[in-house]
Amino acid sequence: MTTLRLTLPDGTVREVPAGTLPREVVASIGPRLLRDAVAVDVGGAVQDLVTPLRAGGSFRVLTAADPRSLDVLRHSGAHILATAVRRLRPDARIGFGPPIEDGFYYDFGVAEPFTTEDLAAFEQEMRRVVAERYPFVRSEVTRDEALRLFADDPLKLERIADLGADEVISTYTDGPFTDLCRGPHVPDTSYLKHFKLLHTAGAYWRGDERRQMLQRIYATAWWKAEDLDAYLHRLEEAKRRDHRALGAQLDLFSTDPRVGPGLILWHPRGAVIRSEIENFERDLILRRGYELVYTPHIYNEKLFEISGHLENFRENMFSSMDVEGTAYRPKPMNCPGHIAIYQSRGRSYRDLPLRFAEFGTLYRYERSGVLHGLLRVRGFTQDDAHIFCTPEQVSEEIGRLLDLVDEVLGVFGYEYSIELSTRPAKAFGSPETWNAAERMLADVLVARGREYTIDAGGGAFYGPKLDFKLVDAIGRKWQGPTVQLDYVLPERFELTYTGADNVPHRPIMLHRVLLGSMERFIGGLIEHYAGAFPLWLAPEQVRVLPLTDEVASAARSVADRLREAGVRVHLDARSETLNYRVRDGALMKVPYLAVVGPREARDGTVAVTLRGAGEKQRPIPIPVDAFTRALRREIETRALTLRAGAPTTGVADAAAD
């Protein structure tokens, strides 16, 4: 019999026979630890207490205090959900039920979509299953036994057919429900105490739009009641910040089925935000040594054959179109065009680094089921750049990009984390080249004291990358900038430069975006700010409100003076009451409302109300000139004082001057 060596966190070693249950090892360490144990980590892999040990290595017990135990709890929650559904709907066929970030889901095949009433009934039944304390019983079965067990469920039969010949086939049973599953699970159903069913949605079987539509139930689960309450509060806050609702409320953007799903129509107010962001970034990168380029919206398909995108990215590309017998495609990325510009003439080492930047519109095929406002679209503009440099320049250029990312994200008030995404399963280039590229990215991060985590297999097919994850005002993570180190495309396109030795050398490419998709970035920004943009980005920066018709001329003069100073101002001289117009300005999240009454018209002042200062705030009387200067300071410094509705002090300071 094979003996396994298990190394405990304190360095001691336990030798046990292969096939020993982890719970037996935990019990030998101590009964209290067994009571608290949820699962174990063996050699870096999490498994439950009833899965036989088949390999040795490090051995660590996971309790509820370990964040990794949440996935175990949530996976068990999915099975408890399926148990409840099958009790109430025995006809429901069962699909997959994995843990996901912040929760879990389970897919069911049913004739009619689930209703809100169904979810309430399922949740109540789940509480009964929890109270019954069913143990999760693991069984290892043969393929024939599995086929007999799930003979009435074609979804499971299809999954069994995919299993490898040597794969261990296991099931888990809790009370009346048995599911095909690898685990891991908590010891019994009573561990699931703090959970909530959230909503249901359609989902194609195995994500294939050509297959049947299933009903997916989403849920969340936490170890502590306060964690569940906090998460549900975040969900409510996220609904309040939903960029689609705010986009309609603030008249920023829309879609139209006549134009096509996933294709954004930017309204004037939304176009202001986008153009301000693009102008800011354009000015910044021009000062950092970038050169602007423009490339076509469609490319000859052969370009994508050379780059490898046709082989590795075809499913995300729109179909080809025939132009005089030649296949063209809408471009899904800008890099082949920038490479073509590089190759338009000979390059010397004295020319490098070359930094080509483009706000290029790209087109990618996204399935209709995943389109989501500005966040998942089919046409988008990317703030793309490609840096062509010598091997000796790579580290410095990566460092410059880290500084640039830090500066840009600071302007928008984002904190962020960094992930180093490594070689995927489908990758061009040798493992040695990939290892060198990954090491170079890591070395620059370490040299600059930057913390990072590894996203194993998350790199692009042509190189590893740094992914910057933005953390918004309510703690959610968003995809942000990326920096990709590429040895592959220069090789495939046979790029060269003439070195100091007067012979050809191969350059190295860096792909980078600072914001990524402008659509996705602005969608996230709407939610980050809850629609209350800082002054420099606000589509309407000041709304001037004449108190009566008698002061309309004075109010118009104020609006003209602000407009001449470069302030985006709107004169609201409608016949509605002042209170109505003030409420409308607040609804549109205008940073400053400037009221002009008889006294203000006489004194050359305005009575200013600040967004976010509360309904009972007293308007601040400010001379128009001082108000204008304060606005200009706030705009030019891109102050974040109005971020997420927080009141500014700049105008109050101006009143005191």
Side-chain angles (χ1 to χ4, degrees):
M1 179 177 291
T2 303
T3 299
L4 305 178
R5 288 173 57 86
L6 304 175
T7 304
L8 305 185
D10 64 1
T12 60
V13 175
R14 299 288 175 96
E15 294 188 349
V16 300
T20 299
L21 298 184
R23 62 171 291 112
E24 297 171 10
V25 180
V26 179
S28 72
I29 299 173
R32 180 171 180 177
L33 185 60
L34 178 62
R35 183 195 67 193
D36 295 337
V38 174
V40 295
D41 177 326
V42 184
V46 177
Q47 66 179 72
D48 55 35
L49 301 176
V50 294
T51 298
L53 293 168
R54 291 185 166 87
S58 60
F59 186 92
R60 178 180 295 274
V61 179
L62 305 185
T63 68
D66 192 304
R68 292 173 295 174
S69 69
L70 264 177
D71 274 355
V72 182
L73 176 71
R74 289 163 177 167
H75 187 188
S76 301
H79 279 237
I80 293 170
L81 168 59
T83 306
V85 171
R86 286 293 284 265
R87 272 183 169 179
L88 300 180
R89 297 282 293 274
D91 59 316
R93 289 174 294 168
I94 51 176
F96 293 137
I100 56 175
E101 185 176 4
D102 293 332
F104 59 90
Y105 69 76
Y106 209 106
D107 291 339
F108 300 94
V110 289
E112 297 292 334
F114 294 132
T115 65
T116 303
E117 291 75 19
D118 288 331
L119 291 192
F122 295 154
E123 186 172 303
Q124 187 60 37
E125 191 64 27
M126 287 177 69
R127 299 195 185 281
R128 295 190 184 97
V129 175
V130 168
E132 286 158 352
R133 302 177 64 93
Y134 291 125
F136 281 96
V137 180
R138 177 185 170 91
S139 299
E140 295 184 358
V141 298
T142 66
R143 187 175 300 270
D144 287 342
E145 288 172 332
L147 292 172
R148 285 195 298 273
L149 274 171
F150 299 100
D152 61 344
D153 203 319
L155 301 182
K156 290 298 179 184
L157 293 178
E158 183 177 328
R159 180 69 187 93
I160 293 169
D162 291 340
L163 298 176
D166 298 328
E167 191 163 352
V168 174
I169 301 176
S170 58
T171 65
Y172 280 81
T173 299
D174 61 295
F177 179 66
T178 298
D179 200 0
L180 181 75
C181 182
R182 292 191 181 99
H185 287 287
V186 295
D188 66 61
T189 60
S190 70
Y191 281 64
L192 187 74
K193 294 180 173 64
H194 310 294
F195 67 93
K196 179 71 177 175
L197 298 190
L198 301 174
H199 62 91
T200 184
Y204 291 110
W205 170 235
R206 310 190 87 165
D208 187 341
E209 61 188 12
R210 297 165 296 184
R211 305 295 300 276
Q212 69 197 89
M213 177 70 76
L214 304 179
Q215 286 297 297
R216 175 172 295 177
I217 297 177
Y218 286 96
T220 189
W222 301 82
W223 286 116
K224 298 178 181 178
E226 54 265 36
D227 291 339
L228 173 62
D229 291 342
Y231 177 71
L232 294 177
H233 175 74
R234 288 199 303 273
L235 287 184
E236 288 302 312
E237 181 64 15
K239 289 180 183 178
R240 186 180 74 84
R241 294 169 177 262
D242 189 314
H243 76 280
R244 294 166 299 177
L246 286 170
Q249 174 186 322
L250 303 178
D251 193 23
L252 302 180
F253 69 92
S254 65
T255 58
D256 188 317
R258 297 170 300 175
V259 175
L263 301 173
I264 302 301
L265 299 169
W266 289 95
H267 297 195
R269 296 173 69 89
V272 166
I273 298 169
R274 175 171 163 171
S275 64
E276 286 289 341
I277 292 173
E278 290 183 356
N279 290 340
F280 155 66
E281 184 180 343
R282 186 179 294 108
D283 292 344
L284 178 64
I285 63 175
L286 288 174
R287 295 196 305 271
R288 298 296 188 275
Y290 285 79
E291 298 175 285
L292 296 179
V293 298
Y294 295 95
T295 58
H297 288 239
I298 61 172
Y299 291 165
N300 187 318
E301 187 176 81
K302 290 188 180 299
L303 205 59
F304 299 121
E305 291 178 1
I306 300 172
S307 70
H309 288 106
L310 208 57
E311 178 181 342
N312 288 276
F313 205 71
R314 184 190 295 265
E315 66 181 19
N316 298 111
M317 299 171 69
F318 279 100
S319 301
S320 62
M321 63 188 82
D322 182 89
V323 181
E324 299 177 344
T326 300
Y328 285 77
R329 286 181 186 259
K331 64 175 179 179
M333 66 285 299
N334 294 306
C335 41
H338 292 190
I339 288 172
I341 294 174
Y342 179 91
Q343 290 184 302
S344 65
R345 65 179 181 85
R347 305 291 179 179
S348 163
Y349 73 97
R350 293 186 178 91
D351 300 325
L352 305 184
L354 280 174
R355 306 181 187 97
F356 294 154
E358 177 179 11
F359 291 91
T361 300
L362 307 177
Y363 303 91
R364 296 180 185 175
Y365 172 61
E366 297 278 6
R367 290 170 174 81
S368 58
V370 301
L371 297 176
H372 183 77
L374 294 174
L375 306 183
R376 291 291 290 270
V377 295
R378 289 176 173 165
F380 59 95
T381 297
Q382 188 164 276
D383 63 331
D384 216 353
H386 295 90
I387 301 168
F388 302 85
C389 57
T390 69
E392 296 77 19
Q393 294 168 335
V394 173
S395 292
E396 181 181 352
E397 288 300 313
I398 295 170
R400 288 169 60 98
L401 288 172
L402 292 177
D403 292 339
L404 192 55
V405 166
D406 204 48
E407 181 173 358
V408 168
L409 297 185
V411 167
F412 296 100
Y414 278 119
E415 296 180 355
Y416 63 88
S417 60
I418 304 174
E419 293 179 359
L420 171 53
S421 300
T422 60
R423 188 174 191 264
K426 291 178 64 177
F428 289 168
S430 69
E432 293 76 19
T433 299
W434 272 83
N435 290 340
E438 291 169 8
R439 191 162 51 248
M440 183 171 291
L441 289 172
D443 287 348
V444 175
L445 291 172
V446 171
R448 287 176 164 257
R450 299 293 189 95
E451 294 183 358
Y452 67 95
T453 57
I454 298 292
D455 176 17
F461 68 85
Y462 47 81
K465 59 179 178 174
L466 302 179
D467 280 316
F468 297 78
K469 303 296 185 180
L470 313 184
V471 181
D472 75 4
I474 57 174
R476 298 172 300 177
K477 287 190 174 183
W478 300 75
Q479 177 60 53
T482 63
V483 174
Q484 301 173 351
L485 179 53
D486 180 6
Y487 290 83
V488 171
L489 292 190
E491 192 71 35
R492 292 179 69 88
F493 280 92
E494 299 181 349
L495 303 186
T496 62
Y497 66 90
T498 301
D501 54 4
N502 208 34
V503 298
H505 295 267
R506 190 78 73 209
I508 295 172
M509 281 181 68
L510 287 165
H511 308 241
R512 77 101 182 103
V513 295
L514 295 177
L515 305 178
S517 156
M518 296 300 296
E519 283 72 10
R520 183 180 62 201
F521 182 79
I522 293 174
L525 204 63
I526 292 170
E527 300 198 7
H528 182 46
Y529 294 149
F533 287 92
L535 188 67
W536 73 279
L537 281 178
E540 181 183 347
Q541 295 168 324
V542 178
R543 184 171 293 190
V544 177
L545 308 173
L547 188 60
T548 64
D549 290 342
E550 286 71 22
V551 296
S553 177
R556 189 175 303 108
S557 176
V558 170
D560 289 343
R561 290 168 66 181
L562 292 173
R563 192 173 293 112
E564 289 172 4
V567 177
R568 291 187 289 274
V569 61
H570 171 65
L571 176 64
D572 186 357
R574 291 176 294 174
S575 59
E576 281 83 357
T577 65
L578 179 64
N579 284 341
Y580 176 91
R581 288 179 287 156
V582 167
R583 284 195 300 271
D584 185 66
L587 183 67
M588 296 302 289
K589 301 185 183 291
V590 179
Y592 296 108
L593 304 179
V595 176
V596 178
R599 178 184 301 173
E600 289 77 21
R602 183 191 67 222
D603 297 342
T605 62
V606 284
V608 178
T609 300
L610 316 181
R611 181 186 66 200
E615 293 183 2
K616 296 183 178 180
Q617 65 174 304
R618 298 184 63 178
I620 304 171
I622 308 175
V624 175
D625 286 345
F627 183 45
T628 304
R629 288 193 299 271
L631 293 172
R632 288 308 313 166
R633 282 197 300 271
E634 192 171 335
I635 292 168
E636 290 164 3
T637 58
R638 295 188 174 91
L640 282 169
T641 47
L642 280 168
R643 178 164 61 85
T648 182
T649 59
V651 170
D653 291 344
D657 289 346

